[in-house]
Structures are given as C-alpha cells and as structure tokens.
Amino acid sequence: MNSSPGRDVILGIETSCDETAAAVVSRATDVRSSVVSSQVEIHAKYGGVVPEVASRAHVETIMPVVEEALELSGVDRSGIQAVAATHGPGLVGALLVGVSAAKAMALVWDVPFVAVNHLEAHLYAAFLEEPDLEMPLVIVLVSGGHTMLILMEDHLHYRVLGATVDDAAGEAFDKVARFMELGYPGGPIIDRLSAEGDPAAIAFPRAMLHDGWNFSFSGVKTSVVNHVRKNPDVAVADVAASFQEAVADVLVIKARRAAREFGAKGLCLAGGVAANSRLREKMAAAAADDGLRAFLPSRAMCTDNAAMVAAAGWWRLQADGPSPLDIGADPSLRLPVA
Ligand code: KG4
Ligand code: ZN
C-alpha cells in the first residue's frame, strides 16, 4: 500500500491492561523507541490485575512514559504525524487513560487520532519485525485474555477460524501457577521451571484436538489440580513441563492443520503466550517440517507494547483515515473480520 504523505511517524499508546506503554514507529516497520512500564509488581501481591489499581497506575505513568518514548526516538513533537491508542478490548478504566491522553495530544498537536484494536495490534507485532510476511498466514493469537486461530488473508483482512470456549491459554498458565503457588504472572514462571522438568512425565489431556478449530483449556488446568492433589510429592518442574507441553501441542497441531487446509504460506505466533519457549520451538519445527515459514516475533513484541499499536495504527490510518474524536473505549471490542 502507498502511504499518505505526512502520516508515517506515529506515536502509539497502550494501556489496555497492566502495562503503560508508548512508542514511536515510522511506516509500521521502523521502531524509533518503545517504552513499557510494567505494573506487574504492583499487582503481584493480589495474584492478578486489580482494575482500579491499574487505572490509577496508568494515570500516574502515562505522561512520563510518553516523554521517554519521544526523547529516545529522537523525533521531536512536531515530527509526530499521528497518535494511535488501544481503545479495546481490555479494562475500561485502563483503556480510557490511554485513549484520553492520545486524543488530547492529537488535538493539541493538530494531527490525526487513530483508535486501535488491541488484538489487531498483536497481529501487527509480527509484521513490525518481518515486513515481507507472505499471506495467507495462519496466526495463533494467545494472550491472557484471548486464544484465537486466525487466517490472515491480506492486510487488515482476517477470518477467525476458532477460539477458546473457556479459559484463554495465558489464563490457564496463570491459574495453574497460582494453584501451585509459583507466583504471578504464571506464564514466564512455568516457562522457566519447565526447562528443568520432563514434558512427557504426565500425560495431561489435549482437549478438542481432533474436533474443529476451537480450543478448551479449562480441562487441562483441572487435570493439573487433580494430579497434584493426588500426588503431593510430584516434581513441580515435571508438572509445569507436562502442562506446557499439552497446551503447546494443541496450539501447534491445530495451526498446522489449518495451514494445510487453507493453503497458508506461513505460521505465526502473537500475544503474550507467544513468548513461551516450548511453543516457539514446536511452532518453528512444525513450519520447517511442512515447508512453511515461521514468524515468531521477539519476546518483547509478543507481550503488550505500544510499538505494535503504532504499527496497526499506521495500517488503519492508511485504510480508514483518522478515527472520530468521540470514539470511546470498548472493553469487549472484537477483531474486525472481513
Ligand atoms: O498479551 P499479553 O501481554 O496481555 C494480554 O493482552 O493479555 O499476555 C499476557 C499473558 C499472561 O497470561 C502471561 O502469563 C502470558 O501472557 N505469558 C506467557 C509467557 N510470557 C507471558 N505464557 C507462557 N509462557 C511465557 N513465556
Ligand atoms: Zn495483549
């Protein structure tokens, strides 16, 4: 797509959950700066994100994070040509902080405001680092709130093939870690612990493996709980590795089957759980076996950040133009499907 002149340098803002982030990205590919301030330590003592606490922390942090992103980018304020912010899905109070700040800056600097879908932003994380990604592409979008199998047919054109019918993959990681008292957030802890465990030690269930494109992760979580209760002396690392293996297996097997059925040229991971070592390994191996390209965004681009928001904002701005300033935060926004 040819870009409109003067709309390439975008300030992105992300406040949908517990990261306050700002980034300056040019033409959806050139990351000039990306600053993420995590609230993880604030929420860790509650074992999960407390919405009211998250909103307050965003209010305190948003402007310092924006200042830092501007400073590191080397672009001065007059060089920012649009401001993009996540407006959903996410926690409504948290989203409102980023959306309000972005609108105010766009208004004062007299540049377009772009409202960005957080799920679309996760999909664009892969394109930031690999601008020549070929489509159609099967993308496994796995985060704390979502688990979706997506066929991306062209830029901004998606088909959602399947989604979780209960827990999101990241939610399952976090719940299993909480049950085993490993800490919060559970995903990275289970990932680390699994390196010392045997992934074949316990045969946890692979739900809905041969049954359509949807996923279910609440059964494997319950199996972990039952197994640990029945075997209190079991090695924690073996439980972690076997649980992680079961989750990764289902995601990779379905993605691979979808790629075959829909003639995809590549397999791609997106969202926080895409940072998982075993899932990355298995996805790369599956792609290699099937002669497909594997696109695994760097770990920093998998978890919530504002560079992906600026990138998705650039594509949306080219396609749809600026968003109206009266657009609000939408906590249950869905991925726009073609
Ligand atoms: O995309 P994200 O940063 O925020 C949402 O939009 O939800 O994803 C956060 C989720 C959490 O559930 C976290 O435990 C999980 O991603 N996660 C991981 C890893 N790193 C983050 N799960 C498994 N392995 C990891 N290395
Ligand atoms: Zn996210």
Side-chain angles (χ1 to χ4, degrees):
M1 188 182 298
N2 291 323
S3 68
S4 315
R7 287 184 171 182
D8 284 339
V9 184
I10 299 195
L11 170 66
I13 291 180
E14 161 61 40
T15 62
S16 66
C17 191
D18 60 343
E19 326 279 359
T20 316
V24 177
V25 179
S26 177
R27 294 184 62 85
T29 48
D30 179 14
V31 181
R32 310 289 292 263
S33 64
S34 179
V35 178
V36 180
S37 165
S38 174
Q39 303 174 6
V40 89
E41 279 171 25
I42 305 175
H43 299 288
K45 59 177 174 285
Y46 305 106
V49 178
V50 182
E52 176 60 24
V53 174
S55 311
R56 285 182 201 203
H58 285 308
V59 170
E60 280 167 19
T61 322
I62 184 76
M63 288 325 289
V65 165
V66 167
E67 291 291 345
E68 195 181 340
L70 287 172
E71 204 173 306
L72 291 174
S73 73
V75 176
D76 91 8
R77 279 173 199 206
S78 62
I80 299 296
Q81 297 173 326
V83 185
T86 299
H87 80 124
L91 303 168
V92 69
L95 289 164
L96 277 170
V97 177
V99 168
S100 311
K103 284 179 183 173
M105 285 183 274
L107 206 61
V108 171
W109 298 342
D110 194 22
V111 294
F113 163 71
V114 196
V116 170
N117 182 309
H118 184 78
L119 303 173
E120 190 163 78
H122 272 302
L123 301 184
Y124 271 93
F127 286 87
L128 253 178
E129 295 176 324
E130 306 249 14
D132 66 335
L133 276 190
E134 285 173 90
M135 288 171 274
L137 194 59
V138 166
I139 310 183
V140 178
L141 171 52
V142 270
S143 70
H146 296 85
T147 297
M148 297 162 99
L149 188 64
I150 293 163
L151 181 68
M152 186 164 180
E153 295 169 308
D154 199 353
H155 279 292
L156 310 172
H157 288 269
Y158 323 99
R159 273 170 67 185
V160 178
L161 303 175
T164 182
V165 297
D166 41 52
D167 289 352
E171 193 181 351
F173 271 94
D174 295 340
K175 285 179 175 170
V176 163
R178 190 183 313 164
F179 168 72
M180 298 204 299
E181 297 179 355
L182 299 175
Y184 168 86
I189 300 170
I190 289 184
D191 192 348
R192 274 196 303 277
L193 201 57
S194 296
E196 293 143 36
D198 175 5
I202 309 150
F204 287 126
R206 274 78 169 149
M208 301 179 83
L209 194 58
H210 303 291
D211 181 12
W213 301 117
N214 286 338
F215 302 96
S216 166
F217 293 111
S218 83
V220 62
K221 174 196 69 193
T222 309
S223 293
V224 171
V225 171
N226 291 339
H227 188 90
V228 173
R229 283 194 178 135
K230 270 192 219 139
N231 305 276
D233 297 328
V234 66
V236 175
D238 285 347
V239 176
S242 301
F243 160 76
Q244 177 176 275
E245 193 73 7
V247 173
D249 261 350
V250 182
L251 294 169
V252 172
I253 288 171
K254 290 212 177 195
R256 191 172 190 176
R257 196 186 308 143
R260 258 186 232 139
E261 180 148 338
F262 296 98
K265 299 198 169 122
L267 293 175
C268 179
L269 284 175
V273 183
N276 184 264
S277 317
R278 189 69 181 133
L279 178 59
R280 295 168 77 88
E281 253 172 49
K282 282 181 159 275
M283 196 63 103
D289 278 355
D290 289 356
L292 302 170
R293 289 179 69 187
F295 301 102
L296 312 176
S298 62
R299 284 183 166 76
M301 282 301 146
C302 291
T303 47
D304 287 349
N305 66 85
M308 66 184 195
V309 175
W314 184 84
W315 283 97
R316 276 289 157 204
L317 187 58
Q318 304 305 318
D320 303 340
S323 304
L325 280 177
D326 61 357
I327 196 166
D330 183 348
S332 46
L333 192 67
R334 288 165 168 265
L335 191 68
V337 284

